[in-house]
Amino acid sequence: MVFAACCLLLLSYRHYSLYDSYDQGIFNQIFWNNLHGRWFESSLSSGLSADVIHQGAMPLVSYRHLGQHFNPIFLLWLPFYALLPSPMTLSVIQVVLVAAAGLVLYALARQSLSPLLSLAIAVSFYGANAVVGPTLGNFHDYNPLPLLLFSLFLAIEKRWWILFWAMALLVLTVREDAGVPLLSVAVYLVLRRQQWKLGLALFAIAAAYILLLTSVVMPSFSPDVSQRLIVERFGQYTGGKPATPVEAIVAILSQPGQILAEIFSRFPKKLYYLVDHWLPLAFVPAIAADAWLLVAFPFLELLLMRGETPLSINIRYATLAVPGLFYGAILWWSKHPQAFQPRMRRFWGVCLALSLLFTVTSNPNRTLSFLVPDSIRPWVYVPPMAQLQHASQARSVLSQIPPQASVAATTYLLPPLSGRRAIVRFPNAIQFRDEAQQTQSVDYIVVDLWQMQQYQPAFKLERNLLQASMIKINQLLQTQAYGIQSFQDQVLLLQRGLSTEPAIAAQWQEFVKQNLTSTP
């Protein structure tokens, strides 16, 4: 209850202070479209598709997200979203799923451990950076995994095989690669439990499902698996060329040297990532053979990916390894209960406190920006009152946009506007393709220049976005394609075909002049 209450309070503040970002908008639009019978469609998801990123096409309103990530489990959460269609509802669903996972974990631990030791493991789950960090962010598609996998592990302990297979099938519906942890579970069942038939059947089903989904089903919606996801995450093995999952696997296995090089590249960062996972459990998973087996495939997937995102403890990918590590720790403690001595308890408490401290100081997904500076040198800190006052001003601007109008908005304004058919990210796009594949210009453009201005001294992304946004807006005003309807607390609202009033135009030119001279 404490975990759920704290997370809900922080995520509520994040939502109302307009710190939700792109993924929250994507998933809210998907759920909103699902409510209206347009299954898994999203123009925001289209903005991340291979057609848009690599081919230069405009985002498509009828683009199906299933070509990027296959999440049929969303249909289970849809009735709850229907009660209150809002981005915040998704955050509530996420917190409830993660909080419930901790309760199942406690029940799992009680199968072989004392109440006090089981409680310590459950508390460690709620204090783990890999749990708290992703939860205090945008809604993400891995959030049911801990609950489902802990339930699956409990079914193994209880020998409830109907529940086991029900949970395994639900895991597969979470996302196309959610079956990767099941591969590790299958290996564990074969090597440690000697349950050959069960393990081999689980491995075959999970592997076949992943390959069928990524090679046949998902490409029937869009070519994103081969043309974008494989290239971005595993392009170092395919020569940077598009490849099917089978071709990528063959390329990886045929380059053992490249595999080793990738695993040990950026070794300090990867070691620190492992330490982040082990810390809340007092490093027990580091010495537990069962834990290594249960996370072998998830860790291998993450270590073989390129890019910084897979190795961020505050990003959703970290969730893949959490269930196996905690179950592995339970199995280790079941064989070493005598190690739970006062000295070990004190050490564990210190480790858990450090995990929470590192979580807070890392400011996961900028959710704690009201408390923790985003940058020390140069100093970037936005006080909570300033955040809330600006959010209030920004929401008054957003209220001027009709519910059915098409919109282009900057990242942090996308979630509150995402319950509509056509919405794209500014300045990347101001046009979209309708159901007939015809290109249309958006009715409104809304730009939060204040958000960029606050963070541009320390962050190159915001600095570049501020400059690109001002240049793009000036171009639109010069062609008279759009006019400024409102400029309030540095939130700019443009309407297609509108003439800008002279006073607002002068206000805008003064802002541009100040920022062009003050921005590095």
Side-chain angles (χ1 to χ4, degrees):
M1 291 174 67
V2 170
F3 171 85
C6 290
C7 288
L8 287 175
L9 283 173
L10 290 171
L11 288 174
S12 296
Y13 180 88
R14 186 176 194 264
H15 171 72
Y16 289 108
S17 61
L18 296 179
Y19 274 72
D20 288 342
S21 56
Y22 199 73
D23 281 2
Q24 193 83 2
I26 289 177
F27 290 120
N28 186 64
Q29 191 184 32
I30 289 171
F31 274 81
W32 183 86
N33 272 322
N34 283 350
L35 278 183
H36 294 80
R38 297 184 286 265
W39 302 107
F40 294 92
E41 292 183 0
S42 171
S43 60
L44 288 174
S45 184
S46 178
L48 299 179
S49 65
D51 281 348
V52 173
I53 293 177
H54 299 306
Q55 308 301 327
M58 291 297 108
L60 177 65
V61 296
S62 56
Y63 172 87
R64 295 191 189 274
H65 178 76
L66 299 174
Q68 285 182 39
H69 298 300
F70 200 80
N71 317 111
I73 200 170
F74 285 175
L75 298 178
L76 292 181
W77 322 141
L78 189 58
F80 302 101
Y81 179 83
L83 296 175
L84 183 62
S86 163
M88 188 59 209
T89 302
L90 297 182
S91 296
V92 173
I93 292 171
Q94 179 158 288
V95 171
V96 169
L97 288 171
V98 177
L103 299 180
V104 178
L105 174 63
Y106 177 79
L108 174 62
R110 285 293 290 118
Q111 302 308 304
S112 55
L113 305 180
S114 67
L116 185 59
L117 186 48
S118 300
L119 179 62
I121 289 174
V123 171
S124 297
F125 173 80
Y126 291 126
N129 198 342
V131 174
V132 179
T135 303
L136 292 181
N138 296 322
F139 179 87
H140 64 88
D141 37 15
Y142 288 131
N143 55 50
L145 271 184
L147 176 61
L148 298 177
L149 285 172
F150 289 151
S151 300
L152 183 142
F153 297 145
L154 182 61
I156 293 175
E157 295 293 333
K158 291 283 194 177
R159 305 182 71 83
W160 293 341
W161 302 122
I162 294 178
L163 177 64
F164 172 86
W165 285 112
M167 291 301 103
L169 293 176
L170 279 175
V171 165
L172 294 176
T173 66
V174 169
R175 187 169 139 142
E176 69 279 358
D177 60 345
V180 171
L182 291 181
L183 300 178
S184 286
V185 175
V187 172
Y188 162 78
L189 289 171
V190 170
L191 297 183
R192 303 293 285 181
R193 295 266 182 165
Q194 303 299 307
Q195 293 178 298
W196 290 82
K197 292 182 179 179
L198 183 64
L200 290 176
L202 181 63
F203 193 97
I205 291 172
Y209 180 84
I210 293 171
L211 291 176
L212 178 65
L213 200 60
T214 55
S215 300
V216 179
V217 178
M218 293 174 66
S220 69
F221 294 103
S222 70
D224 288 297
V225 172
S226 59
Q227 294 186 12
R228 189 176 77 82
L229 302 177
I230 294 293
V231 174
E232 290 179 2
R233 295 305 182 197
F234 302 102
Q236 66 272 41
Y237 307 101
T238 65
K241 299 177 181 178
T244 65
V246 173
E247 291 171 342
I249 291 172
V250 172
I252 292 171
L253 295 178
S254 64
Q255 302 174 69
Q258 180 70 22
I259 292 175
L260 291 175
E262 193 67 33
I263 289 175
F264 290 101
S265 66
R266 299 174 294 163
F267 184 74
K269 180 176 180 62
K270 291 180 177 179
L271 179 60
Y272 183 72
Y273 178 75
L274 294 176
V275 169
D276 273 341
H277 273 291
W278 297 332
L279 185 60
L281 287 167
F283 293 91
V284 165
I287 60 172
D290 290 330
W292 281 105
L293 273 178
L294 288 163
V295 296
F297 281 92
F299 269 163
L300 184 63
E301 179 189 9
L302 295 175
L303 293 176
L304 290 181
M305 286 184 184
R306 64 179 175 183
E308 298 298 320
T309 303
L311 294 179
S312 174
I313 200 70
N314 290 319
I315 302 297
R316 62 184 181 274
Y317 292 105
T319 308
L320 283 167
V322 167
L325 288 174
F326 275 83
Y327 185 43
I330 290 172
L331 295 171
W332 187 89
W333 278 110
S334 67
K335 299 170 185 174
H336 306 86
Q338 70 283 354
F340 194 55
Q341 300 297 325
R343 180 178 296 181
M344 178 60 182
R345 296 177 194 179
R346 289 192 293 271
F347 175 69
W348 196 341
V350 170
C351 289
L352 185 56
L354 287 174
S355 179
L356 287 169
L357 177 63
F358 294 155
T359 302
V360 171
T361 55
S362 68
N363 187 11
N365 305 293
R366 284 186 175 172
T367 301
L368 303 178
S369 286
F370 69 93
L371 179 66
V372 180
D374 286 89
S375 173
I376 303 297
R377 189 177 299 173
W379 181 263
V380 174
Y381 172 67
V382 183
M385 286 308 299
Q387 294 178 1
L388 292 173
Q389 288 172 1
H390 173 72
S392 177
Q393 296 289 325
R395 288 183 183 278
S396 70
V397 175
L398 299 183
S399 66
Q400 301 175 39
I401 302 173
Q404 302 301 324
S406 56
V407 181
T410 46
T411 298
Y412 294 97
L413 298 182
L414 290 172
L417 292 169
S418 56
R420 66 186 66 234
R421 187 68 171 140
I423 180 170
V424 294
R425 176 157 56 174
F426 183 87
N428 303 56
I430 60 170
Q431 294 180 314
F432 63 94
R433 287 176 291 157
D434 59 22
E435 290 85 348
Q437 298 279 344
Q438 298 298 310
T439 299
Q440 306 283 348
S441 295
V442 296
D443 299 319
Y444 290 86
I445 299 172
V446 59
V447 184
D448 190 348
L449 298 159
W450 181 91
Q451 182 78 241
M452 304 175 202
Q453 194 178 47
Q454 300 304 308
Y455 292 99
Q456 59 90 16
F459 300 99
K460 185 178 180 180
L461 175 62
E462 276 78 7
R463 188 158 58 245
N464 291 341
L465 280 174
L466 180 61
Q467 294 301 298
S469 297
M470 289 190 295
I471 292 171
K472 185 70 174 179
I473 292 167
N474 275 336
Q475 291 173 349
L476 295 172
L477 294 175
Q478 288 169 6
T479 61
Q480 299 183 346
Y482 289 83
I484 302 176
Q485 177 175 320
S486 173
F487 191 24
Q488 184 175 329
D489 200 26
Q490 298 175 20
V491 178
L492 189 74
L493 177 62
L494 298 99
Q495 182 179 350
R496 183 158 53 93
L498 182 73
S499 296
T500 306
E501 294 182 2
I504 297 180
Q507 184 185 359
W508 166 249
Q509 290 304 322
E510 181 63 23
F511 175 84
V512 172
K513 180 179 178 181
Q514 290 178 357
N515 283 275
L516 285 175
T517 57
S518 63
T519 302

